[in-house]
């Protein structure tokens, strides 16, 4: 083995110290792979659920030139090599075009120390043996080392066996750096390094999937295997955080490493970047959904053009549907700029759907991407310059200006996507900082920034400014009013109606809150008195009858204060909590009344026949009085209302009469009038009365028709409100129904084709299976393909019963079959989230006689929901039990609120962040169709795990 002699402290300071964060370190290493003409730049995070892995392992690799033993010894660990800075060109290989080198300082390679402590580097040139060395970067923290003290073993291998032997020897040799006499002042650090080295065991998949590839003579490239990944990588390896999606670490990494190549400028590129997560279920890419060129160019507003060497911009701008040529000259001294010529292109999006030209689906998709990737990116020779484009990197201060006046300064850093296209030769004065976090704040950058700020201010004021009174006459202002006009008109009428409804509801709620407490207390007291009376040996009928009269009165009062929250009205969280509290109190009082009624019903068994007849007669008379009283109240209200209307009409009659008399004054006949004069005045009088007739008809005809058409059994106000609410609900659901309908039709259409394709794919999978047995290198990929195909096949079969043309047959489905189906379907999820799934023997023996693909999807939906809500739970359990002919599916996750136990079965109601609210609705409908029902409960006799609990039982037969 060869040994390194390196500058320990210098490496620690220059390598690890120059990097600001993990994505910058990864980007820097990918730059080196790019310079080495790699086609693939990859990161792979192998979680502890992947194969034989016991802890997360991180791999960063490229398939570039690779390094020989001499390159590693004399170049890789030599700091500040200037071959790229001198413009030395690497001859392109692998059929790629010549590339402009990205690296300049010769220290970026050492950013690998930022990825984690324990590292194995492997590098290989084509047609040469592979080279590797092991390193624990913590040894550099021993500041007592002299330049010649550090020993890093380097070895060569050409087979898996030779690698296994050499890596063991290398780990032992590395221990020479841990002599206790050299670590007297840092014994704790030394012990940590030593213990980690002793416990390091390479998983078998490292040999199978990485080392074996480097033993191929044609292989080339460089890989860094990190056995103690950086904390941010460990956060990504936390399965729960990944599943919860909107995790800060995950979002930051995705936004930093996405769009490394300028796909916004051109879709043609000669390298790919991937960040793959490997777990029990296979692999998935974290950075595969960046903006496309079409999405940017189809934005509400768009610009493209070039700044020349004098800072003058010329290009084209589009604001909604208006386009024109646009030029800009910054206010600066004449002559060439320090920053050089460059191109710019961006697409900007409106902040509200009502103002956008995109349809609802397009806007939702773009909005999701803007949250993750929106911003202005900078590329040099089509390779991204960090940190530009990140959420916190608003280097042109869009948000600062927007906070001063959103109407004047339109642009928002997170509401557009775009790029600035620089080149190394054309913009040489825009230099990276040592830490690769943006440009040095030199004169060129300051001018570059100042001119761009003026550029965007000019666009905002010339094209984008908006005021409600139309002061600016800009492209955006002129069109925005038209776009919003129809929406605003509809919205205004809805708001007026909702405002009145909301006001009435809140007033009713406020009044009823004070009444329900008093009424509940009175009902409680009534229950005590009634129980006391019926508990006596001899019931005093007079007292008992008074109590019954009081009960009827309480029931009537309770009905009067019952309130229902309007569906179309939005209320605050506090108001909703007040309403929920009121509902609980109301239903508690209503339940108490029902209990009292049940007690009264049982008590009648003790009352003699004569008293029962008296009770009947009393109740009969009481009910008659109630009806008469109600209609007397109605008549009184109606009489008062009609009297009021009658008086108003009388006043209006006098007003209209006086108006006509006053206006007809010029048309009065005098003694001196001739025949012709009188005829003329008659015509004038006729014209005047026609005007009054029209005014009266326009003002009162609609009202009179409404009064004439009034029906006692029709609530017109309720109908108007109901129709409005139904219309709003239908509009909200229409899009969802259309989407579901399109999905259903698409499935029906492709059913025949899928049967043919399935047969072809099944044959192909069987053939590949034979090939994989002879070629172990593709075994993992084949198993993933086979697993995905089997899941696809299973899911397809679940859809078959939904087709109108499908032929379904009933069959016996046992609980045991359902259990195995669940275990197979959720095998990876149960492993990933460490969920303990159990079923009791009674359920295993239970039999459904129904349709296979109606019963099983119900259980799949319930378990899938449970998996989601179990994520925050420390102890994750799912249990299915059959008790007293009822199937109970329970979990230890989040408990369903009592007020939502029925709502969760409503179509489109969902508590999930990205849920659709369809699964439980369909589960209930499908179970009802085959004679079963499902409900949720928090009853402790059922809900033993204190999470969510669902009960499936047979519907009671009606006789």
């Amino acid at each position: 083995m060869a040994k390194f002699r390196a500058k320990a402290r210098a490496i620690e300071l220059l390598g690890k110290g120059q990097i600001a964060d993990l994505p910058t370190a990864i980007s820097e290493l990918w730059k080196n792979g790019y310079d080495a003409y790699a086609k693939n730049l990859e990161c792979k995070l192998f979680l502890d659920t992947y194969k034989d892995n016991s802890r997360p392992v991180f791999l960063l690799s490229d398939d570039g030139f690779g390094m020989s033993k001499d390159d590693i010894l004399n170049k890789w660990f030599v700091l500040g090599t200037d071959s790229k800075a001198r413009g030395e060109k690497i001859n392109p290989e692998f059929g790629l075009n010549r590339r402009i080198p990205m690296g300049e300082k010769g220290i970026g390679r050492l950013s690998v120390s930022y990825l984690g402590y324990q590292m194995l580097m492997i590098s290989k040139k084509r047609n040469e043996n592979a080279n590797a060395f092991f390193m624990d970067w913590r040894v550099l923290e021993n500041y007592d080392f002299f330049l010649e003290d550090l020993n890093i073993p380097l070895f060569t291998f050409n087979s898996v066996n030779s690698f296994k032997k050499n890596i063991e020897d290398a780990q032992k040799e590395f221990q020479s750096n841990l002599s206790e006499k050299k670590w007297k002042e840092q014994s704790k650090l030394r012990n940590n390094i030593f213990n980690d080295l002793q416990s390091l065991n390479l998983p078998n998949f490292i040999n199978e999937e990485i080392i074996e590839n480097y033993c191929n003579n044609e292989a080339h490239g460089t890989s860094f295997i990190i056995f103690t990944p950086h904390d941010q990588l460990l956060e990504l390896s936390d399965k729960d955080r990944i599943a919860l999606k909107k995790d800060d670490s995950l979002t930051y990494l995705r936004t930093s490493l996405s769009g490394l190549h300028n796909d916004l400028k051109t879709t043609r590129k000669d390298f790919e970047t991937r960040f793959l997560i490997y777990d029990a279920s296979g692999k998935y890419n974290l950075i595969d959904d960046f903006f496309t060129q079409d999405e940017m160019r189809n934005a509400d507003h768009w610009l493209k053009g070039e700044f020349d060497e004098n800072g003058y911009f010329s290009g084209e701008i589009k604001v909604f549907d208006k386009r024109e040529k646009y030029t800009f000259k910054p206010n600066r001294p004449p002559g060439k700029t320090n920053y050089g010529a460059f191109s710019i292109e961006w697409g900007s999006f409106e902040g509200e759907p009502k103002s956008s030209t995109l349809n609802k689906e397009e806007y939702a998709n773009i909005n999701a991407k803007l949250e993750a990737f929106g911003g202005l990116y900078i590329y040099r020779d089509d390779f991204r310059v960090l940190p530009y484009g990140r959420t916190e990197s608003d280097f042109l201060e869009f948000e600062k200006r927007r906070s001063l006046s959103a109407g004047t300064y339109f642009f928002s850093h997170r509401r557009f996507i775009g790029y600035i296209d620089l080149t190394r030769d054309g913009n040489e004065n825009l230099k990276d900082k040592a830490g690769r976090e943006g440009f040095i704040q030199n004169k060129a950058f300051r001018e570059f920034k100042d001119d761009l700020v003026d550029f965007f201010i000019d666009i905002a004021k010339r094209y984008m400014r908006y005021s409600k009174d139309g002061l600016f006459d800009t492209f955006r202002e002129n069109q925005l009013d038209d776009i919003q006009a129809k929406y605003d008109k509809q919205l205004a009428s809805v708001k007026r109606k909702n405002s009145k409804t909301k006001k009435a509801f809140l007033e009713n709620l406020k009044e009823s809150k004070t009444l329900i407490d008093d009424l509940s207390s009175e009902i409680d007291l009534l229950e005590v008195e009634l129980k006391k009376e019926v508990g006596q040996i001899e019931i005093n009928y007079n007292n008992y009858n008074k109590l019954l009269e009081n009960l009827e009165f309480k029931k009537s009062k309770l009905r009067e204060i019952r309130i229902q929250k309007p569906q179309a009205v939005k209320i605050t969280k506090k108001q909703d909590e007040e309403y929920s509290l009121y509902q609980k109190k109301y239903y508690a009082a209503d339940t108490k009344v029902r209990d009292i009624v049940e007690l009264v019903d049982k008590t009648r068994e003790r009352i003699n026949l004569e008293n029962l007849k008296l009770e009947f007669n009393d109740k009969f008379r009481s009910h008659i009085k109630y009806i008469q009283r109600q209609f007397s109240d109605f008549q009184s209200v109606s009489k008062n209302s009609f009297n009021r209307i009658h008086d108003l009409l009388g006043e209006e009659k006098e007003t209209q009469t006086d108006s006509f008399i006053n206006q007809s004054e010029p048309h009065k006949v005098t003694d001196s009038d001739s025949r012709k004069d009188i005829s003329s005045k008659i015509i004038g009088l006729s014209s005047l009365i026609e005007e009054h007739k029209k005014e009266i008809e326009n003002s009162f005809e609609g009202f009179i028709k409404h009064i004439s058409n009034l029906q006692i059994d029709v609530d017109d106000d309720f109908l108007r409100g109901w129709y409005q609410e139904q219309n709003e609900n239908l509009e909200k659901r229409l899009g969802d129904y259309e989407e579901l309908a399109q999905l259903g039709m698409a499935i029906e259409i492709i059913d025949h084709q899928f049967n043919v394709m399935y047969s072809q794919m099944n044959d192909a999978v069987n053939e590949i299976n034979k090939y994989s047995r002879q070629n172990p290198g593709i075994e993992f990929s084949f198993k993933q393909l086979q697993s995905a195909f089997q899941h696809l096949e299973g899911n397809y079969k679940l859809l078959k019963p939904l087709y109108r043309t499908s032929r379904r047959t009933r069959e016996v489905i046992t609980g045991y079959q359902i259990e195995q189906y669940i275990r197979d379907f959720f095998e990876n999820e149960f492993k990933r989230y460490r969920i303990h799934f159990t079923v009791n023997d009674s359920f295993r023996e239970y039999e459904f006689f129904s349709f296979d693909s109606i019963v099983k999807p119900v259980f799949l939906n319930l378990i899938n929901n449970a998996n989601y809500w179990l994520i925050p739970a420390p102890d994750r359990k799912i249990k299915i039990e059959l008790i007293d002919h009822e199937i109970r599916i329970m979990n230890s996750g989040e408990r369903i609120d009592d007020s939502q136990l029925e709502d969760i079965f409503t179509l489109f109601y969902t508590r999930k962040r990205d849920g659709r609210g369809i699964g439980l609705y369909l589960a209930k409908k499908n179970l009802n169709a085959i004679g079963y029902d499902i409900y949720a409960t928090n009853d402790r006799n059922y809900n033993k795990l204190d999470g969510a609990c669902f009960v499936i039982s047979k519907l009671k037969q009606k006789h």
Side-chain angles (χ1 to χ4, degrees):
M1 293 194 181
K3 296 181 180 180
F4 283 115
R5 299 297 180 186
K7 301 177 182 180
R9 179 59 173 153
I11 294 171
E12 200 272 338
L13 289 173
L14 289 174
K16 187 176 180 181
Q18 69 153 337
I19 298 300
D21 57 28
L22 179 68
T24 305
I26 293 173
S27 175
E28 197 59 37
L29 291 165
W30 275 353
K31 278 184 181 180
N32 291 337
Y34 173 85
D35 289 341
Y37 285 82
K39 293 182 181 179
N40 295 284
L41 306 170
E42 290 187 330
C43 289
K44 296 180 180 180
L45 181 60
F46 299 97
L47 304 187
D48 56 1
T49 55
Y50 177 72
K51 291 194 173 182
D52 60 335
N53 201 14
S54 59
R55 60 181 179 178
V57 175
F58 183 65
L59 170 71
L60 186 146
S61 62
D62 66 68
D63 58 355
F65 290 133
M67 292 179 282
S68 65
K69 181 178 179 181
D70 182 68
D71 292 332
I72 298 174
L73 283 171
N74 299 315
K75 292 183 179 180
W76 198 85
F77 250 119
V78 176
L79 303 183
T81 54
D82 61 353
S83 61
K84 296 177 184 177
R86 293 197 312 267
E88 178 180 315
K89 303 298 182 183
I90 305 175
N91 292 326
E93 293 186 16
F94 320 129
L96 300 177
N97 296 325
R98 184 178 297 278
R99 291 175 176 174
I100 305 296
M102 292 288 111
E104 295 178 353
K105 298 176 177 61
I107 56 176
R109 65 181 74 102
L110 299 183
S111 58
V112 68
S113 62
Y114 202 89
L115 303 181
Y117 298 136
Q118 291 179 313
M119 179 203 78
L120 175 67
M121 185 180 95
I122 306 170
S123 191
K124 181 183 178 300
K125 284 183 172 291
R126 180 186 281 174
N127 300 322
E128 294 184 12
N129 288 338
N131 304 282
F133 70 82
F134 177 81
M135 176 68 171
D136 190 317
W137 295 100
R138 287 174 293 184
V139 299
L140 303 181
E141 297 177 22
N142 185 341
Y143 304 148
D144 292 332
F145 271 134
F146 288 97
L147 300 179
E148 299 295 319
D149 290 339
L150 190 60
N151 182 2
I152 304 175
L154 170 68
F155 61 89
T156 300
F157 66 91
N158 58 9
S159 69
V160 173
N161 289 333
S162 65
F163 170 80
K164 288 180 179 179
K165 180 181 182 304
N166 280 302
I167 189 61
E168 291 177 3
D169 294 341
Q171 289 175 254
K172 294 176 182 177
E173 186 171 346
F174 189 81
Q175 291 183 24
S176 65
N177 296 304
L178 302 176
S179 174
E180 292 189 22
K181 64 180 181 179
K182 297 180 182 179
W183 293 81
K184 291 180 181 180
E185 296 182 5
Q186 294 172 287
S187 59
K188 184 177 179 180
L189 176 60
R190 179 262 176 199
N191 291 337
N192 288 338
I193 298 173
F194 182 83
N195 292 334
D196 288 345
L197 187 62
Q198 294 297 310
S199 63
L200 178 61
N201 293 311
L202 271 66
N204 290 330
F205 76 84
I206 297 290
N207 296 326
E208 297 169 357
E209 300 178 24
I210 301 172
I211 304 304
E212 194 171 276
N213 177 63
Y214 276 101
C215 296
N216 186 330
N217 193 47
E218 291 294 317
H220 51 84
T222 301
S223 295
F224 301 95
I225 306 174
I226 311 299
F227 300 104
T228 50
H230 187 281
D231 287 344
Q232 193 172 347
L233 289 168
L234 291 177
E235 289 177 355
L236 293 176
S237 71
D238 189 334
K239 281 73 61 182
D240 300 350
R241 296 173 74 98
I242 294 293
L244 288 173
K245 292 183 179 179
K246 292 188 178 179
D247 172 79
D248 290 341
S249 297
L250 177 62
T251 301
Y252 184 76
L253 186 70
R254 292 179 70 234
T255 57
S256 298
L257 295 181
S258 295
L260 201 66
H261 175 269
N262 193 357
D263 295 342
L264 298 172
K265 174 186 172 184
T266 175
T267 57
R268 297 189 302 273
K269 57 184 178 182
D270 57 4
F271 74 96
E272 296 282 348
T273 57
R274 286 176 287 272
F275 195 111
L276 304 172
I277 301 287
Y278 285 74
D279 62 11
S281 62
K283 64 182 178 183
Y284 51 97
N285 190 358
L286 289 181
I287 55 174
D288 62 349
D289 54 354
F290 192 65
F291 272 95
T292 67
Q293 192 179 76
D294 287 341
E295 287 171 334
M296 177 183 66
R297 293 179 177 176
N298 292 328
D300 292 316
H301 319 298
W302 169 82
L303 174 139
K304 182 178 182 180
E306 293 80 30
F307 280 84
D308 65 18
E309 58 185 8
N310 296 308
Y312 296 166
F313 174 84
S314 62
E316 183 181 12
I317 189 170
K318 173 182 77 75
V319 180
F320 290 130
D321 292 330
K322 290 187 177 182
R323 289 175 178 263
E324 74 172 21
K325 297 293 182 181
Y326 168 64
T327 59
F328 168 76
K329 294 182 179 181
N331 187 16
R332 58 182 308 279
K336 294 183 178 180
T337 65
N338 283 290
Y339 51 77
F342 64 90
S343 301
I344 184 172
E345 183 178 7
W346 51 256
S348 176
F349 300 88
E350 290 287 329
E352 297 178 296
K354 68 176 184 179
S355 304
S356 177
T357 56
L358 303 179
N359 63 42
K360 184 172 67 175
E361 290 75 17
E362 291 172 335
Y363 189 89
N365 177 55
I366 289 295
N367 216 39
K369 287 195 174 185
L370 285 171
E371 287 186 20
F373 307 119
L376 182 61
Y377 291 71
I378 296 181
Y379 291 89
R380 190 186 342 249
D381 296 306
D382 294 336
F383 201 98
R384 183 177 171 186
V385 179
L386 287 175
Y388 307 111
R390 287 178 180 165
T391 305
E392 74 282 4
S393 183
D394 182 13
F395 78 104
L396 296 182
E397 300 178 333
F398 290 119
E399 302 303 333
K400 178 180 178 180
R401 291 192 297 279
R402 187 171 173 82
S403 66
L404 300 176
S405 175
T408 300
Y409 302 106
F410 165 77
F411 293 104
S412 171
H413 178 60
R414 305 310 291 173
R415 296 305 306 171
F416 73 89
I417 180 70
Y419 68 89
I420 294 173
D421 186 25
L422 306 177
T423 63
R424 177 176 175 179
D425 295 335
N427 311 99
E428 58 183 356
N429 292 328
L430 294 174
K431 300 181 181 295
D432 285 357
K433 294 178 181 178
R436 309 294 186 180
E437 279 291 288
F439 294 122
I440 296 172
Q441 302 286 324
N442 57 16
K443 183 179 180 181
F445 179 75
R446 289 193 296 273
E447 289 184 1
F448 175 70
K449 176 181 174 181
D450 289 344
D451 288 353
L452 280 172
V453 168
D454 290 344
F455 170 72
F456 277 101
I457 290 176
D458 183 70
I459 294 172
K461 290 184 175 180
R462 190 187 302 189
Y463 294 100
M464 303 295 184
R465 273 198 295 185
Y466 174 80
S467 68
K468 293 183 179 179
D469 51 7
L471 290 176
F472 300 124
D473 193 30
T474 62
F475 275 16
R476 178 170 176 265
E477 185 174 75
N478 292 338
Q479 297 176 86
L480 193 60
D481 289 341
D482 293 336
I483 292 172
Q484 292 182 344
K486 183 177 180 180
Y487 178 89
D488 290 342
K489 184 178 180 181
Q490 294 172 342
L491 186 63
S493 62
V494 173
K495 282 185 176 180
R496 284 195 301 271
K497 186 259 181 185
N498 288 349
S499 178
K500 292 179 181 178
T501 305
K502 180 179 179 180
K503 182 179 179 181
F505 165 72
L506 293 178
E507 289 176 352
N508 198 5
L509 177 61
K510 182 179 179 181
E511 181 181 351
S512 299
K513 281 196 309 182
T514 59
L515 296 175
I516 189 65
D517 292 331
D518 294 339
L519 187 57
S520 296
S521 299
E522 293 171 4
I523 292 172
D524 289 339
L525 182 61
L526 175 61
E527 182 185 33
V528 172
E529 294 176 349
L530 192 59
K531 284 184 177 179
K532 182 179 178 180
E533 183 63 43
V534 301
Q536 298 182 21
I537 297 175
E538 288 290 334
I539 296 177
N540 185 323
Y541 182 74
N542 290 330
N543 293 338
Y544 174 73
N545 194 41
K546 289 180 180 179
L547 291 173
L548 293 188
E549 289 179 0
N550 194 12
L551 175 61
E552 290 299 321
F553 177 75
K554 302 304 181 192
K555 288 167 65 177
S556 177
K557 296 296 291 182
L558 192 62
R559 280 194 297 269
E560 290 176 5
I561 64 171
R562 180 179 181 181
I563 57 177
Q564 189 70 30
K565 181 175 69 175
Q567 294 182 354
V569 172
K570 292 183 179 180
I571 58 178
T572 66
K573 183 178 180 181
K574 183 179 179 180
Q575 291 166 344
D576 190 54
E577 290 173 352
E578 291 176 355
Y579 172 69
S580 297
L581 179 61
Y582 173 79
Q583 288 291 86
K584 289 180 180 179
K585 290 181 178 180
Y586 180 89
Y587 286 121
D590 185 65
T591 301
K592 185 63 66 68
V593 168
R594 293 175 187 272
D595 292 341
I596 296 174
V597 170
E598 187 176 342
L599 175 64
V600 170
D601 292 340
K602 292 180 180 178
T603 304
R604 291 196 182 99
E605 298 174 359
R606 299 175 53 196
I607 298 176
N608 60 46
L609 184 62
E610 291 301 320
N611 284 335
L612 281 178
K613 289 180 179 179
L614 289 175
E615 180 183 349
F616 174 83
N617 292 330
D618 289 341
K619 283 188 175 296
F620 182 78
R621 289 191 295 270
S622 174
H623 294 335
I624 293 293
K625 288 180 180 179
Y626 171 79
I627 294 172
Q628 291 176 341
R629 185 172 61 252
Q630 284 290 91
F631 275 91
S632 294
D633 292 342
F634 293 158
Q635 286 176 323
S636 177
V637 171
S638 299
K639 183 177 180 181
N640 291 335
S641 298
F642 283 119
N643 286 339
R644 178 177 56 83
I645 293 171
H646 183 271
D647 292 342
L648 289 174
L649 288 173
E651 293 174 4
E652 191 64 33
K653 179 180 69 174
E654 296 297 329
T655 300
Q656 290 286 344
T657 302
D658 292 342
S659 174
F660 176 76
I661 292 173
N662 292 333
Q663 292 181 39
S664 64
E665 195 67 32
H667 303 290
K668 284 188 176 181
V669 177
T670 65
D671 294 338
S672 60
D673 285 339
S674 65
R675 183 187 298 273
K676 184 177 180 181
D677 293 334
I678 295 174
S679 296
S680 177
K681 288 181 178 181
I682 291 174
I683 294 172
L685 195 65
S686 298
S687 299
L688 181 62
I689 192 62
E690 287 300 321
E691 292 177 6
H692 277 267
K693 285 181 179 179
K694 288 180 181 179
E695 183 180 349
I696 293 171
E697 288 173 359
N698 291 336
S699 300
F700 299 98
E701 187 174 12
F703 169 73
I704 296 302
K705 285 183 178 179
H706 176 69
I707 292 292
S708 302
N709 292 328
L710 281 178
Q711 299 291 327
I712 291 177
D713 58 346
V714 176
D715 184 346
D716 290 295
D717 186 59
F718 170 79
L719 280 180
R720 281 196 300 273
W722 185 82
Y723 281 129
Q724 178 64 37
E725 290 181 10
Q726 294 303 307
N727 182 58
E728 292 170 0
N729 292 335
L730 286 173
E731 286 181 351
K732 291 177 182 177
R733 295 184 179 184
L734 181 60
D736 294 313
Y737 281 128
E738 287 177 348
E739 186 175 334
L740 289 174
Q742 290 169 0
L743 176 61
M745 288 186 291
I747 292 173
E748 290 261 16
I749 292 169
I750 67 172
D751 179 38
H752 174 70
Q753 294 93 324
F754 193 96
N755 285 327
V756 176
M757 289 188 291
Y758 165 71
S759 178
Q760 295 171 341
M761 285 189 289
N762 190 42
D763 291 340
V765 167
N766 291 333
E767 289 297 320
I768 297 174
N769 185 20
K770 298 175 184 177
Y771 182 76
S772 68
R773 294 172 187 169
Q774 302 170 359
N775 298 271
I778 68 167
E779 184 178 2
F780 171 73
S781 296
F782 168 72
K783 287 183 178 178
Q784 188 174 355
L785 170 65
Q786 187 180 46
S787 176
F789 176 69
Q790 289 171 348
H791 278 292
L792 179 64
E793 179 189 11
N795 291 336
Y796 167 69
K797 288 180 178 178
L798 292 178
L799 292 172
K800 291 285 287 183
L802 302 179
Y803 302 157
R804 291 179 300 168
T805 55
S806 63
R807 298 175 181 175
R808 300 184 294 175
T809 57
R810 293 178 183 269
E811 58 183 293
V812 174
I813 306 164
T814 66
Y816 175 78
Q817 290 174 317
I818 294 172
E819 176 193 8
Q820 295 305 310
Y821 189 67
I822 291 171
R823 291 190 185 279
D824 292 341
F825 200 92
F826 293 107
E827 178 182 7
N828 295 328
E829 282 78 2
F830 289 164
K831 288 181 181 177
R832 179 184 298 171
Y833 303 124
R834 297 176 175 87
I835 294 172
H836 184 56
F837 173 62
T838 58
V839 170
N840 72 352
D841 290 335
S842 298
F843 175 73
R844 291 191 179 99
E845 296 172 0
Y846 186 81
E847 293 182 349
F848 289 92
F849 182 66
S850 185
F851 307 120
D852 179 81
S853 292
I854 285 184
V855 174
K856 288 181 179 177
V858 170
F859 284 90
L860 290 187
N861 182 266
L862 294 173
I863 302 302
N864 186 56
N865 288 342
N867 290 345
Y868 178 86
W869 293 110
L870 278 170
I871 288 175
D875 184 22
R876 299 165 182 170
K877 296 179 180 178
I878 299 176
K879 182 181 292 186
I880 302 180
E881 293 184 339
L882 177 69
I883 300 176
D884 296 332
H885 306 291
E886 294 180 327
I887 300 169
R888 305 172 185 180
I889 303 100
M890 64 197 84
N891 64 69
S892 59
E894 184 175 332
R895 187 172 176 268
I896 303 172
D897 190 80
D898 290 342
S899 63
Q900 298 176 335
L901 290 172
E902 295 184 8
D903 292 341
I904 58 176
F905 294 99
T906 304
L907 184 60
F908 304 124
Y909 180 91
T910 180
R911 296 185 300 149
K912 290 184 180 179
R913 181 190 296 125
D914 300 317
R916 299 301 302 271
I918 297 174
L920 289 176
Y921 169 81
L922 290 178
K924 192 174 186 70
K925 289 294 183 184
N926 288 338
L927 285 174
N928 290 167
I930 61 173
Y932 284 82
D933 193 20
I934 181 172
Y935 65 92
T937 180
N938 286 323
D939 186 337
R940 291 190 175 275
N941 294 324
Y942 288 82
N943 194 358
K944 298 177 182 178
L945 298 182
D946 201 31
C949 179
F950 294 88
V951 180
I952 297 175
S953 59
K954 287 187 176 181
L955 286 169
K956 295 181 180 179
Q957 299 294 325
K958 295 181 180 181
H959 298 287

